[in-house]
Amino acid sequence: MTYNFKDIKSLTVDELKEWLSANCEKTYRADQIENWLFCQQVSSYDQMKNIPQQTRDKLSKAFAIRSLTEVQHLVSVDGAVKWLFRTADDHYIETVLIPTNGRFSVCVSTQIGCAMNCAFCRTAKMGFIRNLEAGEILEEIIRVNDYLKETGEINADGKQAQVTNIIFMGMGEPLNNLENVHRTCCTLHNQKLFNLGRKKMTVSTSGVVPKIKELVDRNTPCCLAVSLNSTNNEARGSVMPVNKIWPIEKLLEATDEYSRRTDNYVTFEFVLMKDVTCTPAAAKELIRICAPRRVKVNAIVLNAMDDPNLEAPTQEDVDSFLEKVRAANIQITIRNPRGRDIFAACGQLAYKKQQKVANADTESA
Ligand code: SF4
């Protein structure tokens, strides 16, 4: 059996068992190996003391144990931490830790760059480079756990803090890398490893409709969030090209099916943009869409960026929008932007780094 990836951390425990069986090794070794990788965080097969040498030799010929190289980490005045990591093939990705009242949420990247081209997003400006392997996504979380250990962070029970929540909302469209996102969620959900419950992991999509159905078919252990951002096709299509392929009606059909089949609510992410999505008409439309559905709305004010066509709304406009939606009994929370002093929005640091590398290459050419 061959896999099209090289990092052993990309295999689920079942896949590792299959591989061991196919290679005449004891399948119970899979749990031991995964414990070394994810709990002891070893970086070489030689450190796996209870694994026989011949098994280690076979493993090392089949799979590498890869890690990410930390290029930079920045700590915000509000406690958020952002990492810039370099992959083994010299690309840059970002990971953000958002500590909140004993919860340690991590926003992970799932792709290097992104093909979805949303107007309000810096990652989009990088274009799409490649999907991250499951091992690379897991490594983002492992590195944050390392940081929590090093800094002696304590959780609500007074014990060593660990990552408690995962949001697949960093660089990339997670559903365009569903295979690896699914594999990542399975490993995170594994009780012997990260032991994160289904409700502790949220996959956020720009609206790749067929993949929402696939997420349900695969029974991926996660919740679903959708970047709705606008309530009419013209406005949504103007900032999110995905809407031209799968308009709002199709998206809502898919999220309705998700809710029905998983018996779970969907979170609609809603970026408030001056004169585009933060208007009385948009509030009315949002109410029309949400009222008959089992949804929560998570609003966030547009982050400052270079696009001259988009602006953040005034606080007065935001308050008026929230008031209207709440008056209709729709559950809406406003997410406080965290880490703006450290470029915590998706892609800002990696884009800058990529530009620097590109400029240096041009100068030295
Ligand atoms: S917002 Fe998300 S889906 Fe849209 S371009 Fe950025 S990374 Fe991709």
Side-chain angles (χ1 to χ4, degrees):
M1 173 185 339
T2 55
Y3 293 96
N4 60 357
F5 43 74
K6 295 276 167 52
D7 185 355
I8 190 167
K9 290 198 285 281
S10 294
L11 275 74
T12 64
V13 71
D14 289 338
E15 288 170 335
L16 187 53
K17 278 180 186 162
E18 256 184 74
W19 185 89
L20 288 164
S21 165
N23 286 275
C24 309
E25 295 292 335
K26 305 269 189 298
T27 54
Y28 70 83
R29 298 277 180 213
D31 283 336
Q32 295 173 326
I33 294 164
E34 298 243 313
N35 184 280
W36 281 114
L37 292 169
F38 297 115
C39 303
Q40 315 299 324
Q41 294 162 19
V42 299
S43 54
S44 87
Y45 290 106
D46 289 339
Q47 293 169 277
M48 299 182 178
K49 298 294 179 207
N50 56 355
I51 306 296
Q53 187 62 48
Q54 60 149 32
T55 315
R56 285 189 248 159
D57 289 345
K58 284 185 193 173
L59 285 165
S60 65
K61 280 184 192 137
F63 306 107
I65 303 176
R66 286 215 191 115
S67 63
L68 297 168
T69 305
E70 180 181 322
V71 178
Q72 193 176 10
H73 87 261
L74 300 170
V75 183
S76 165
V77 288
D78 64 22
V81 187
K82 181 164 198 164
W83 282 263
L84 181 67
F85 291 118
R86 192 171 59 242
T87 60
D89 56 348
D90 286 334
H91 293 295
Y92 296 92
I93 58 165
E94 300 173 355
T95 309
V96 180
L97 165 68
I98 307 153
T100 318
N101 302 330
R103 262 204 341 256
F104 295 89
S105 304
V106 174
C107 183
V108 292
S109 295
T110 54
Q111 296 184 310
I112 302 172
C114 184
M116 302 311 284
N117 209 15
C118 302
F120 47 82
C121 172
R122 190 61 63 92
T123 300
K125 303 202 178 338
M126 293 171 68
F128 172 70
I129 297 171
R130 72 167 171 85
N131 285 332
L132 290 177
E133 283 187 12
E136 292 173 308
I137 304 171
L138 288 162
E139 179 72 7
E140 294 179 64
I141 297 151
I142 290 169
R143 301 301 288 271
V144 177
N145 273 336
D146 282 350
Y147 172 85
L148 291 172
K149 204 168 172 186
E150 279 163 27
T151 52
E153 288 284 348
I154 301 295
N155 67 16
D157 302 328
K159 296 190 179 139
Q160 169 60 56
Q162 292 214 316
V163 171
T164 56
N165 299 68
I166 313 289
I167 314 152
F168 294 83
M169 203 190 194
M171 295 167 65
E173 164 51 66
L175 292 189
N176 280 352
N177 186 15
L178 183 51
E179 179 63 38
N180 290 317
V181 167
H182 174 81
R183 191 175 272 122
T184 301
C185 287
C186 291
T187 298
L188 292 170
H189 194 49
N190 186 329
Q191 287 182 346
K192 293 179 188 152
L193 302 174
F194 295 85
N195 192 24
L196 288 179
R198 180 179 285 264
K199 295 207 166 155
K200 303 286 182 187
M201 297 182 270
T202 302
V203 169
S204 176
T205 179
S206 60
V208 185
V209 163
K211 297 282 179 177
I212 293 176
K213 186 173 180 300
E214 201 180 320
L215 190 75
V216 185
D217 291 342
R218 282 171 171 262
N219 195 21
T220 304
C222 67
C223 295
L224 177 69
V226 172
S227 295
L228 186 64
N229 294 332
S230 183
T231 46
N232 74 71
N233 283 320
E234 197 185 338
R236 190 167 193 266
S238 73
V239 288
M240 300 182 73
V242 65
N243 198 77
K244 291 174 185 153
I245 307 170
W246 295 292
I248 293 170
E249 304 74 48
K250 293 278 168 215
L251 180 57
L252 294 175
E253 271 173 35
T255 55
D256 286 349
E257 184 183 344
Y258 172 90
S259 291
R260 189 171 40 77
R261 288 177 60 195
T262 62
D263 195 25
N264 206 352
Y265 62 83
V266 176
T267 302
F268 286 155
E269 306 282 350
F270 205 84
V271 179
L272 297 171
M273 300 173 235
K274 184 179 167 66
D275 297 334
V276 184
T277 59
C278 191
T279 63
K284 204 170 156 194
E285 273 295 292
L286 186 63
I287 293 165
R288 183 185 63 77
I289 283 176
C290 295
R293 298 191 158 82
R294 206 170 154 212
V295 293
K296 290 180 182 176
V297 181
N298 199 356
I300 186 163
V301 173
L302 178 78
N303 200 352
M305 60 166 291
D306 296 343
D307 192 325
N309 301 316
L310 297 172
E311 273 181 63
T314 62
Q315 188 58 48
E316 204 183 348
D317 287 344
V318 172
D319 291 343
S320 160
F321 186 93
L322 295 177
E323 199 181 311
K324 284 187 177 64
V325 176
R326 283 185 184 137
N329 286 325
I330 309 293
Q331 196 179 341
I332 183 166
T333 48
I334 182 95
R335 188 150 48 93
N336 282 327
R338 301 278 301 269
R340 286 204 167 165
D341 56 321
I342 54 160
F343 311 108
C346 155
Q348 292 193 359
L349 214 56
Y351 178 69
K352 273 181 172 234
K353 183 71 186 175
Q354 189 193 263
Q355 289 295 96
K356 261 193 194 169
V357 172
N359 291 342
D361 284 352
T362 313
E363 278 164 22
S364 62

Short mmCIF file of all heavy atoms in Angstrom, two decimals, residues 114 116-118 120-121 123-124 170-173 206 346, ligand 1:
data_model
loop_
_atom_site.label_atom_id
_atom_site.label_comp_id
_atom_site.label_asym_id
_atom_site.label_seq_id
_atom_site.Cartn_x
_atom_site.Cartn_y
_atom_site.Cartn_z
N CYS A 114 -4.49 30.44 -1.38
CA CYS A 114 -5.90 30.04 -1.55
C CYS A 114 -6.37 30.46 -2.94
O CYS A 114 -5.96 31.50 -3.45
CB CYS A 114 -6.76 30.71 -0.48
SG CYS A 114 -8.49 30.18 -0.55
N MET A 116 -9.63 30.91 -3.71
CA MET A 116 -11.02 31.38 -3.70
C MET A 116 -11.16 32.89 -3.98
O MET A 116 -12.24 33.36 -4.31
CB MET A 116 -11.71 31.04 -2.36
CG MET A 116 -11.71 29.56 -2.02
SD MET A 116 -12.28 28.51 -3.35
CE MET A 116 -14.03 28.78 -3.28
N ASN A 117 -10.07 33.62 -3.80
CA ASN A 117 -10.01 35.02 -4.23
C ASN A 117 -11.04 35.95 -3.59
O ASN A 117 -11.58 36.84 -4.27
CB ASN A 117 -10.14 35.07 -5.77
CG ASN A 117 -9.41 36.26 -6.34
OD1 ASN A 117 -8.59 36.88 -5.64
ND2 ASN A 117 -9.73 36.63 -7.56
N CYS A 118 -11.34 35.77 -2.32
CA CYS A 118 -12.25 36.68 -1.63
C CYS A 118 -11.60 38.07 -1.55
O CYS A 118 -10.42 38.18 -1.23
CB CYS A 118 -12.56 36.19 -0.22
SG CYS A 118 -13.29 34.55 -0.19
N PHE A 120 -11.76 40.53 0.49
CA PHE A 120 -11.35 41.11 1.77
C PHE A 120 -10.19 40.34 2.40
O PHE A 120 -9.87 40.56 3.57
CB PHE A 120 -12.54 41.12 2.74
CG PHE A 120 -13.29 39.81 2.77
CD1 PHE A 120 -12.83 38.76 3.53
CD2 PHE A 120 -14.42 39.63 2.00
CE1 PHE A 120 -13.50 37.55 3.54
CE2 PHE A 120 -15.11 38.42 2.00
CZ PHE A 120 -14.64 37.37 2.77
N CYS A 121 -9.56 39.43 1.67
CA CYS A 121 -8.60 38.51 2.29
C CYS A 121 -7.21 38.63 1.70
O CYS A 121 -7.03 38.60 0.48
CB CYS A 121 -9.12 37.09 2.10
SG CYS A 121 -7.94 35.85 2.61
N THR A 123 -4.72 36.43 2.13
CA THR A 123 -4.22 35.15 1.61
C THR A 123 -4.54 35.01 0.13
O THR A 123 -3.75 34.45 -0.65
CB THR A 123 -4.86 33.98 2.39
OG1 THR A 123 -4.51 34.11 3.75
CG2 THR A 123 -4.36 32.63 1.89
N ALA A 124 -5.72 35.52 -0.26
CA ALA A 124 -6.14 35.40 -1.66
C ALA A 124 -5.11 35.99 -2.60
O ALA A 124 -4.92 35.51 -3.72
CB ALA A 124 -7.48 36.09 -1.84
N GLY A 170 -7.81 29.54 8.99
CA GLY A 170 -6.61 30.30 8.66
C GLY A 170 -6.47 30.37 7.15
O GLY A 170 -7.46 30.46 6.42
N MET A 171 -5.25 30.27 6.67
CA MET A 171 -5.04 30.39 5.23
C MET A 171 -5.65 29.18 4.51
O MET A 171 -5.44 28.04 4.91
CB MET A 171 -3.53 30.43 4.95
CG MET A 171 -2.87 31.68 5.52
SD MET A 171 -1.07 31.54 5.52
CE MET A 171 -0.75 31.49 3.77
N GLY A 172 -6.38 29.46 3.44
CA GLY A 172 -6.90 28.39 2.61
C GLY A 172 -8.38 28.11 2.82
O GLY A 172 -8.98 28.53 3.80
N GLU A 173 -8.95 27.40 1.84
CA GLU A 173 -10.35 26.95 1.92
C GLU A 173 -10.30 25.48 2.38
O GLU A 173 -9.93 24.58 1.62
CB GLU A 173 -11.00 27.08 0.53
CG GLU A 173 -12.30 26.32 0.32
CD GLU A 173 -13.36 26.57 1.39
OE1 GLU A 173 -13.85 27.69 1.48
OE2 GLU A 173 -13.69 25.62 2.14
N SER A 206 -15.93 28.98 2.64
CA SER A 206 -16.44 30.14 1.91
C SER A 206 -17.73 29.77 1.18
O SER A 206 -18.42 30.66 0.68
CB SER A 206 -15.38 30.64 0.91
OG SER A 206 -15.08 29.61 -0.02
N CYS A 346 -6.10 36.47 8.61
CA CYS A 346 -5.59 35.43 7.73
C CYS A 346 -4.68 35.94 6.61
O CYS A 346 -5.08 36.79 5.82
CB CYS A 346 -6.82 34.73 7.17
SG CYS A 346 -6.67 33.90 5.63
S1 SF4 B 1 -11.23 34.24 3.05
FE1 SF4 B 1 -10.66 32.09 3.21
S2 SF4 B 1 -11.57 31.18 1.35
FE2 SF4 B 1 -11.55 33.39 0.98
S3 SF4 B 1 -9.59 33.74 -0.09
FE3 SF4 B 1 -9.21 34.02 2.11
S4 SF4 B 1 -8.44 32.05 2.79
FE4 SF4 B 1 -9.48 31.71 0.85
#
